[in-house]
Each structure stands twice: as structure tokens, then as C-alpha cells.
Amino acid sequence: MEILVEVFLPLSLAIIMLSLGIGLTPSDFRRVVERGWAFGIGALCQLILIPLFAYVIVLTFGFTGAIAAGVMLLSFCPGGVTTNVMARLANGDVALSVSLTALISLLSIITVPVLVGWAVTRFMGADVPEFSVTEIAIAMFLITTLPVSIGMLIRYLAPGFADRAEPKLFVLAGVLFVVIVLAAIATNWDLFVANFTALGPALAVLSITTMLAGLTIAGVFGLTWAEQKTVAVEVGLQNGTLGITLAPIIAGVATGIPEIGLPAAIYSVIMYLTGIPIVLWLRSRRRES
């Protein structure tokens, strides 16, 4: 079990982020400048809207302690490679989705450690674990920023190899995502069962409301229908894998997934139950509105 927490989980997430990086090109980042308005709306929704909604849900459902901190931890995590797939399924702007996922993932090395420090102090009080914001930042760099950068370097140095490797890495990333979620649930099965009835509805509300809010805000600010759908997906589907991976580092445990990681584990299941129907509904609405 110690190998699972200390080695397999971080390595798996690193491979998932590598699969993101190997598909990136300089044009993805130039697109941020060329379409700064759409990117800015999506980025602000991810950085501000999701934590705000999560905070309201924590207070509304009466969560406290590690569970409350875990919901907030989830809200601080950027979107993952899943959002790129969902954006494509919704007939959204995939290029914008990739740009948002990549840039917010790179920025999270700064935002996540700082916000996690606030959340655990705010909700865990005297039970707050001893952890270092710097340690979390280093972990974020090693399991997100560095793999993305390596993937981009591979794409730059060997584009042919990157083209061949990308679909295989994408499949591997999907398999690893499922393994991580199942492992997180299995290692804390009793806690999972005890908290699912309370956390499940709350996290479903978080996913649905953030998707619809992202869609609405993007529409209010004049984004195209494809861009609106992309912002909805990027805002409504978080990288639960990152939350699961960071939880043991925050809690300082090496055996199993701690309680603070349960919201991310449950959300990783819930988001498909809530997200896919909305994505299919968005796909069916072809008019610009």
C-alpha cells in the first residue's frame, strides 16, 4: 500500500500529464494571445468560480474537517485531459480546451499550494496536518509541470515519434485514471460508503452548477457557442486524479488514501454521471446562442 501512495499514484499522474504535454505545440500557446478574451473568461471561471461554488456547497451541506478541506482541494485542481475529450464530444472548441487545460495546469503549481494551505487551516483547525506549502509546490512541479514540459520537448524534438506515441499515451492515461480512482476507493472502502450518500449529491450539484454557470457566463460575455460549451466543460470537470494524488502528501500518510482525498475520489465517479448527459445535451444544441 505504501508503494501505491508514494510511487504509483504520483507516477501515474505524471504519465497522464505527459500525455497532455506531448500533444501540445507552440500554436496552442499562441492561441492564448490571439484569443485572449475567450481564454481569459475560461481561466477566470476555473480559478474563481469553481472554488466559490465549492465553498458555498461546503457551507450549505454542513461539511467540516478533512471532508470540507477535500472538497476545496478538488475545486483548486485544474481540468485534466478528460476535459479535452469531453469538449470534442460536445462539438466544442477543442483547441481552446487544450490551451485552458495546459495553461491552468502549469499555473496550478502556484495556486494549488497556496489555496490548499488556506483550506486546511480554515476547515481542519486543531487537526490540521503538518505540511509544507513548498513541499506541495515541489510535488506539483514534479507530477504536473515537469511531465507536461517533457512531453512538449518530445513533441518539439521528435514530432514523428510524438504523433505515434500520443494515442498510446492517451489510452494509457485513461487506464491509469481508472486504476487510480478504483485504488482510492478500495483503500478507503468503509469511509467511501459512509460518506457517499452525503458527498455524492453535493459533488453532483458542484459539477452541474459549475458547468451551467460556465456556459451562462461565457454566453453573457459574447463567446461563440463552441467556446461556451468548452468553458462549461473546463469549469465543470475537475482533475480528481490530482486531488487524490495530493491528498496523501497533504495529510502526511503513506498507507491508503486519507479522508481529505475522498471528495476527489467520489467526484471522479460522479462527474461522469452528471457531465456526460450535459455534454450530450450541449452537442445536440447546434444553434449559436
Side-chain angles (χ1 to χ4, degrees):
M1 194 61 66
E2 185 173 341
I3 293 178
L4 169 68
V5 173
E6 294 188 348
V7 179
F8 184 75
L9 287 182
L11 181 60
S12 298
L13 181 58
I15 293 173
I16 292 172
M17 299 310 294
L18 176 68
S19 72
L20 171 63
I22 205 168
L24 294 175
T25 63
S27 62
D28 293 314
F29 294 93
R30 287 197 300 270
R31 196 174 292 113
V32 173
V33 178
E34 295 167 357
R35 303 168 63 191
W37 183 244
F39 178 85
I41 296 301
L44 287 175
C45 283
Q46 281 195 299
L47 295 173
I48 298 175
L49 185 69
I50 306 170
L52 180 61
F53 273 50
Y55 189 76
V56 171
I57 283 175
V58 164
L59 297 182
T60 302
F61 283 82
F63 297 137
T64 58
I67 293 296
V71 174
M72 295 308 302
L73 166 63
L74 170 67
S75 74
F76 303 146
C77 295
V81 292
T82 302
T83 59
N84 306 150
V85 178
M86 291 295 190
R88 187 182 300 276
L89 180 60
N91 284 332
D93 190 324
V94 179
L96 176 62
S97 176
V98 171
S99 299
L100 280 167
T101 301
L103 268 294
I104 299 301
S105 293
L106 294 176
L107 185 60
S108 66
I109 188 176
I110 300 173
T111 59
V112 171
V114 173
L115 293 173
V116 164
W118 166 80
V120 296
T121 302
R122 165 68 176 81
F123 291 106
M124 298 185 70
D127 296 326
V128 61
E130 292 186 10
F131 71 96
S132 167
V133 171
T134 302
E135 182 182 355
I136 296 176
I138 292 173
M140 288 289 299
F141 173 78
L142 292 176
I143 62 182
T144 60
T145 308
L146 184 60
V148 169
S149 301
I150 291 174
M152 292 179 62
L153 182 62
I154 293 173
R155 164 69 60 181
Y156 177 76
L157 295 177
F161 173 78
D163 287 338
R164 293 190 299 273
E166 183 179 2
K168 296 181 177 64
L169 276 174
F170 184 80
V171 172
L172 178 59
V175 172
L176 289 174
F177 170 81
V178 174
V179 171
I180 289 174
V181 173
L182 291 179
I185 293 173
T187 54
N188 267 321
W189 179 250
D190 291 339
L191 277 174
F192 179 84
V193 172
N195 288 280
F196 187 86
T197 53
L199 273 171
L203 295 175
V205 170
L206 177 63
S207 177
I208 293 170
T209 55
T210 50
M211 286 189 80
L212 296 180
L215 182 72
T216 302
I217 291 173
V220 168
F221 282 96
L223 273 61
T224 67
W225 180 232
E227 290 170 341
Q228 290 176 44
K229 292 189 285 186
T230 298
V231 171
V233 169
E234 288 290 329
V235 171
L237 302 176
Q238 300 305 101
N239 188 350
T241 309
L242 178 59
I244 295 170
T245 306
L246 289 178
I249 299 173
I250 297 169
V253 302
T255 54
I257 308 300
E259 191 176 11
I260 194 173
L262 279 178
I266 294 174
Y267 177 87
S268 296
V269 176
I270 292 293
M271 72 174 187
Y272 287 105
L273 301 179
T274 57
I276 290 178
I278 294 178
V279 165
L280 294 176
W281 172 71
L282 291 173
R283 180 185 176 90
S284 69
R285 288 171 58 90
R286 298 183 181 278
R287 67 184 181 87
E288 189 84 14
S289 60

